[in-house]
Amino acid sequence: MTPHHFPITVYYEDTDMAGVVYYANYLRYIERARSTIVEEIGLDQVAMREKGIVFVITRVEADYISPARMADRLDVVTTHQAASPVRWTFDQEVQRDGQVLFRAHVVAVTMTTTGKPMRLPAEIRAAIAK
């Protein structure tokens, strides 16, 4: 699968007292990239929720490798796949000029809005596979 690229600019509000990106903001960055992927492959999460289906993140493994700083231009690089009938996995890196600063493996599943796990619907699996 071709990697997806999502640009990020680091703003003052993203940094901590040391002037580096606050650790939790990397999770925000990769979430924005995943949300963009969902939209770009044609999935409407509002319509899904109205049908009683939502995505839930069940696992995040993260490695903080090197700090990003204010005004850095970053690239969130994501590859993803339907790893099983239930799981959608994402491998994501936050890079600056090709240097990996942060790396994460994320697992998402579909659930009903009442909290019951469910298989990825066929139309979602087909959209992911494109």
Side-chain angles (χ1 to χ4, degrees), residues 12-25:
Y12 178 76
E13 68 185 16
D14 296 324
T15 62
D16 61 16
M17 290 184 63
V20 300
V21 170
Y22 181 65
Y23 79 95
N25 286 330

Side-chain angles (χ1 to χ4, degrees), residues 7 11 24-25 29-30 40-41 50-51 59 70 73-74 76 86 90 97 101 105 110 113-115 119-120 124 128 130:
Y11 295 103
N25 286 330
Y29 298 162
I30 65 173
E40 287 178 0
I41 65 175
E50 289 170 358
K51 293 178 183 177
R59 183 174 183 80
M70 191 171 72
R73 304 260 187 220
L74 307 176
V76 180
V86 177
F90 300 82
D97 298 324
L101 307 178
H105 176 75
T110 45
T113 51
T114 59
R119 295 172 65 91
L120 289 165
I124 293 175
I128 293 169
K130 289 182 184 178

Side-chain angles (χ1 to χ4, degrees), residues 1 3 9-11 20 25 27 37 41 46 52 54 56 63 67 75 83 85-86 92 100 103 106 116 121 124 126-127:
M1 169 167 287
T9 299
V10 176
Y11 295 103
V20 300
N25 286 330
L27 299 176
I37 289 168
I41 65 175
V46 173
V54 294
V56 177
D63 294 309
D75 185 21
V86 177
Q92 298 184 273
V100 177
R103 181 178 291 125
V106 180
K116 293 182 181 177
I124 293 175

Side-chain angles (χ1 to χ4, degrees), residues 68-115:
R69 301 183 187 283
M70 191 171 72
D72 280 352
R73 304 260 187 220
L74 307 176
D75 185 21
V76 180
V77 181
T78 305
T79 57
H80 60 94
Q81 66 178 346
S84 76
V86 177
R87 294 179 302 145
W88 189 2
T89 62
F90 300 82
D91 289 301
Q92 298 184 273
E93 294 180 345
V94 176
Q95 301 178 3
R96 179 184 55 231
D97 298 324
Q99 175 191 10
V100 177
L101 307 178
F102 172 86
R103 181 178 291 125
H105 176 75
V106 180
V107 177
V109 299
T110 45
M111 296 184 84
T112 67
T113 51
T114 59

